[in-house]
Amino acid sequence: MRLGLICRPFSFHGGVETATAGLLTALRHAGHDVELISTRRQASVPGLVVRRVPTLRHPSVLRLISFVVAARAAAARHGYDLVQSHERALGQDLYRAGEGCHAAYLEAMGRKVTGLNPYHRLVLALERRIFQLRTARHVVAISRRGKEEIERRFRTDPARVTLIYNGVDLERFHPDKRGRHRR
């Protein structure tokens, strides 16, 4: 299968980055042809085609809009069998909601959802398109709370949202290492 993965620049360390790198590696090992759609700041990834799209750097709302539009165009141009996005984007088949939903984040930070700056309004609008207008056929949530927020806030059919927790590197975090590294 020919897959396009939309993701902002990442490296192979950190939480989201490790999950993305693990996904790319697993898909390639399973025999899929995977390409990464990212910005020009994305470093090369050995054995992987990186489609770098042009984006504006400032202000943040234009950076987001330019990435969303350029990533959608790149995905359409290269004719993937499936497009997965780790970003709030347009035209993905599968959206990985790695951050839950933005409105819940804003409320948790004590910010009102109304009267926000253009960047936050754009993120909320993209989420509405993904969850309510179904610009993504399916959504993957990485936490139970995120799944529940999406279903409740956007009245998203639970059958369209799957819960898949981030994996854990069992070699790196093996219980046998606890005693050895505790000191």
Side-chain angles (χ1 to χ4, degrees):
M1 182 177 280
R2 194 151 185 274
L3 306 171
L5 178 67
I6 299 171
C7 185
R8 285 179 287 194
F10 71 93
S11 57
F12 285 89
H13 58 277
V16 172
E17 294 86 355
T18 300
T20 301
L23 173 66
L24 290 169
T25 301
L27 288 170
R28 286 192 354 239
H29 280 90
H32 297 289
D33 178 15
V34 185
E35 296 183 356
L36 179 63
I37 302 169
S38 191
T39 71
R40 290 186 173 151
R41 294 182 359 254
Q42 174 61 52
S44 294
V45 179
L48 188 73
V49 172
V50 178
R51 304 274 180 200
R52 293 175 182 88
V53 298
T55 57
L56 300 171
R57 296 207 51 175
H58 300 287
S60 59
V61 69
L62 290 181
R63 180 175 52 242
L64 179 55
I65 289 172
S66 63
F67 179 64
V68 165
V69 170
R72 179 175 61 175
R77 187 170 46 253
H78 294 288
Y80 301 106
D81 297 317
L82 182 109
V83 176
Q84 177 175 333
S85 182
H86 289 198
E87 311 299 333
R88 293 167 185 93
L90 301 171
Q92 67 274 328
D93 299 294
L94 179 65
Y95 171 62
R96 179 184 179 275
E99 300 171 340
C101 64
H102 198 62
Y105 161 76
L106 292 170
E107 287 175 5
M109 300 305 292
R111 299 182 68 183
K112 294 184 189 269
V113 176
T114 57
L116 294 171
N117 70 40
Y119 175 81
H120 291 294
R121 287 195 305 243
L122 175 60
V123 172
L124 293 170
L126 287 169
E127 284 188 345
R128 276 191 302 280
R129 290 182 62 90
I130 292 166
F131 302 133
Q132 286 180 327
L133 301 178
R134 299 179 183 201
T135 59
R137 291 184 308 188
H138 201 79
V139 176
V140 172
I142 64 166
S143 71
R144 183 173 314 211
R145 184 175 184 170
K147 178 178 173 29
E148 290 168 356
E149 286 173 357
I150 292 165
E151 292 168 358
R152 184 182 74 251
R153 289 178 177 274
F154 297 97
R155 295 183 181 92
T156 305
D157 180 356
R160 285 189 54 231
V161 185
T162 300
L163 174 60
I164 302 176
Y165 295 107
N166 285 336
V168 175
D169 182 342
L170 296 177
E171 286 291 317
R172 184 174 177 202
F173 298 103
H174 195 280
D176 291 346
K177 293 185 177 187
R178 184 180 304 145
R180 200 172 340 141
H181 298 291
R182 180 157 276 171
R183 284 179 258 150

